[in-house]
Amino acid sequence: MSDNANSVNMTAPSRGYHHGDLRAALLDAGLDLLKSGSAETLSLREVARRVGVSPTAVYRHFPDKAALLKELCIRGALELAQAQAQAMKAAGGGRKGFAATGGAYIRYAVANPVLFRIMMANMPPGGFFSSDFSDDQVGIQMLRDNIISLVPKEAGEEGVLFGMLMSWAQVHGLSMLMLDGQVPVSEETIKAFESSRLEFRFVPDQPSE
Amino acid sequence: MSDNANSVNMTAPSRGYHHGDLRAALLDAGLDLLKSGSAETLSLREVARRVGVSPTAVYRHFPDKAALLKELCIRGALELAQAQAQAMKAAGGGRKGFAATGGAYIRYAVANPVLFRIMMANMPPGGFFSSDFSDDQVGIQMLRDNIISLVPKEAGEEGVLFGMLMSWAQVHGLSMLMLDGQVPVSEETIKAFESSRLEFRFVPDQPSE
DNA sequence: CGCATTATGTTTACAGTGATAACATGTCCG
DNA sequence: CGGACATGTTATCACTGTAAACATAATGCG
């Protein structure tokens, strides 16, 4: 593009042809678009446009759209984990802290609907458990620690895993139902959730009632 | 889906135009495609191709793609409700029956991944609660009845609603996590869920621990 | 320093999509 | 019978992801 009227270069050393750090810029723009939530589907071309580069420039840095998306997922997951960690700290840890991480999860989801949905749908298999971003205190580890401290000791490792699964499913389900418009998004509901305690226990096979 | 395949409406209007009853055929093809799960995104053109009509013929029966999707959602929701009702009956009602409806929900989701995801994402606002398909015993009503019988009487209407929400969120979250590959799809896990009982209760605002 | 190699960005092109408009045809009803 | 209307088709457009060929900047080696 020779017409440089609308140079969107944010980085100072944006000498014409070579954009300082296109890869990072693309990721930023992508995340930004997903957060704006405007377009249900972010397109490579839109991202490129945003950065001020030709549509196919993206392919010098990402093999395809899925690859870009995958990285954005990880970014989102990190952000989410941060929000949870912060909520935990703000609530002073303990059981209340744990509930707060759940609330943070839901709030993050409804605050970033497009991102969150794409995030979950494009997370690499086993994503949250993967080591891609386990460098820091990340949601899953936090969840694990919390569950361990909440589940009766005799439940064993299996019980811990089941507890993690159920807790996660709980907040995730609530988040998705809100995102999908099946349940009204209401801070009140989130608060109610936070101050509710759920317990689950195996019940031996027995006649109902 | 059987009501229109072989037994043509005895009512006159199904006189052969060009395709007999394109609208129904399109819906069938659409549902079929979503169930095959092959293509992540079913396209109007593909549906049309499947039925053997020109791409734009669809627009004589649906204003746009979203409209087609919406109807497919409702079909899926009905199917899901049927599966749940059947599971309930098979389990002999009661608490076990209720758990079975949860299992049926999850199993339907993992058995129809594409359909289920699109179903939830495109369900009209408040979809499951809408009267669009409340003609029969549908999931939500069943859920409500079950919750009412399981929640302590003093919880009141609000407690019932909250219970419904939490139960739904639980199975929905588990389903989505499996669909998204965050949790391995395993019949064992589903069974474990079915034989677990979850309880939730409000805890008054109190110092943690 | 000069030049070849490589990294990066551009242009061009293609197949596929949802959608609109103009057209063609079949069906029905007065 | 003949027009009115419902249904299906043929262009056509704007948009998408992606590949191939090309152009330019940065880099390294003689």
Side-chain angles (χ1 to χ4, degrees):
Chain A
M1 284 293 188
S2 51
D3 54 331
N4 46 12
N6 58 348
S7 66
V8 290
N9 323 345
M10 26 194 280
T11 57
S14 65
R15 287 291 342 122
Y17 213 94
H18 275 44
H19 184 285
D21 189 355
L22 220 196
R23 185 185 165 88
L26 289 173
L27 286 174
D28 283 347
L31 200 66
D32 218 58
L33 278 177
L34 286 186
K35 290 210 164 199
S36 305
S38 56
E40 182 58 45
T41 73
L42 106 164
S43 69
L44 289 189
R45 297 176 106 100
E46 193 174 352
V47 174
R49 223 173 287 138
R50 189 97 148 195
V51 174
V53 85
S54 85
T56 58
V58 184
Y59 288 89
R60 293 294 133 161
H61 298 271
F62 302 93
D64 59 2
K65 185 181 181 181
L68 206 216
L69 246 21
K70 205 171 93 179
E71 301 239 5
L72 290 180
C73 289
I74 296 182
R75 284 208 177 191
L78 275 171
E79 233 180 46
L80 168 58
Q82 272 174 239
Q84 288 186 279
Q86 185 180 336
M88 168 65 112
K89 213 171 69 178
R95 215 183 268 266
K96 279 180 87 169
F98 179 49
T101 65
Y105 189 100
I106 302 173
R107 289 193 185 90
Y108 185 86
V110 300
N112 306 281
V114 183
L115 206 202
F116 187 82
R117 192 185 250 104
I118 295 202
M119 209 170 107
M120 300 309 297
N122 293 74
M123 189 73 73
F128 278 102
F129 291 96
S130 100
S131 59
D132 264 352
F133 51 101
S134 67
D135 48 348
D136 202 352
Q137 266 302 73
V138 125
I140 284 296
Q141 188 53 41
M142 215 157 47
L143 173 56
R144 178 179 192 78
D145 295 344
N146 283 308
I147 291 291
I148 287 181
S149 74
L150 294 183
V151 154
K153 291 96 190 165
E154 67 268 21
E157 173 65 11
E158 196 184 359
V160 170
L161 280 178
F162 192 71
M164 291 173 64
L165 179 53
M166 285 317 202
S167 302
W168 190 9
Q170 187 75 66
V171 291
H172 188 68
L174 203 41
S175 304
M176 291 307 291
L177 288 178
M178 284 183 172
L179 284 194
D180 289 338
Q182 295 306 315
V183 165
V185 176
S186 110
E187 176 63 22
E188 217 175 272
T189 302
I190 302 181
K191 281 214 174 72
F193 166 79
E194 284 181 310
S195 62
S196 82
R197 166 161 46 146
L198 82 154
E199 302 183 354
F200 30 83
R201 65 187 85 161
F202 289 95
V203 290
D205 219 346
Q206 64 183 9
S208 64
E209 224 59 12
Chain B
M1 71 187 208
S2 56
D3 54 12
N4 48 16
N6 44 10
S7 77
V8 183
N9 300 356
M10 277 104 65
T11 56
S14 67
R15 281 273 353 114
Y17 311 124
H18 254 170
H19 198 276
D21 191 354
L22 221 197
R23 183 186 166 89
L26 290 174
L27 286 174
D28 283 347
L31 200 68
D32 219 58
L33 279 177
L34 285 187
K35 290 211 166 198
S36 305
S38 54
E40 183 59 45
T41 73
L42 107 163
S43 69
L44 289 190
R45 297 176 108 99
E46 194 175 350
V47 174
R49 224 173 287 137
R50 190 96 147 196
V51 174
V53 302
S54 84
T56 58
V58 185
Y59 289 91
R60 293 295 133 164
H61 298 272
F62 303 93
D64 59 0
K65 185 180 182 181
L68 206 214
L69 247 21
K70 206 171 92 179
E71 300 239 7
L72 290 180
C73 289
I74 298 183
R75 283 210 176 189
L78 276 171
E79 232 180 47
L80 168 57
Q82 273 174 239
Q84 288 186 279
Q86 186 179 337
M88 168 64 110
K89 212 171 72 179
R95 213 182 271 268
K96 277 180 91 168
F98 179 48
T101 64
Y105 189 101
I106 302 174
R107 288 192 186 91
Y108 184 86
V110 300
N112 306 280
V114 183
L115 206 203
F116 187 82
R117 191 185 250 103
I118 295 201
M119 209 170 108
M120 300 309 296
N122 291 76
M123 188 72 73
F128 279 102
F129 292 96
S130 99
S131 58
D132 264 354
F133 50 100
S134 66
D135 48 349
D136 204 352
Q137 267 301 75
V138 125
I140 285 294
Q141 188 52 42
M142 214 155 50
L143 172 57
R144 177 179 192 78
D145 295 344
N146 283 308
I147 291 290
I148 287 181
S149 74
L150 294 182
V151 154
K153 289 99 192 164
E154 67 270 20
E157 173 67 10
E158 197 184 358
V160 170
L161 280 177
F162 192 71
M164 290 172 64
L165 179 54
M166 287 316 205
S167 302
W168 189 10
Q170 186 76 62
V171 291
H172 187 67
L174 202 42
S175 304
M176 291 306 292
L177 288 178
M178 285 183 173
L179 284 193
D180 289 337
Q182 296 306 316
V183 165
V185 176
S186 110
E187 176 62 23
E188 218 174 273
T189 301
I190 302 180
K191 281 215 175 71
F193 166 79
E194 284 181 310
S195 63
S196 81
R197 165 159 48 146
L198 84 153
E199 303 184 352
F200 30 84
R201 64 186 87 158
F202 290 94
V203 290
D205 220 346
Q206 64 182 12
S208 64
E209 225 58 11

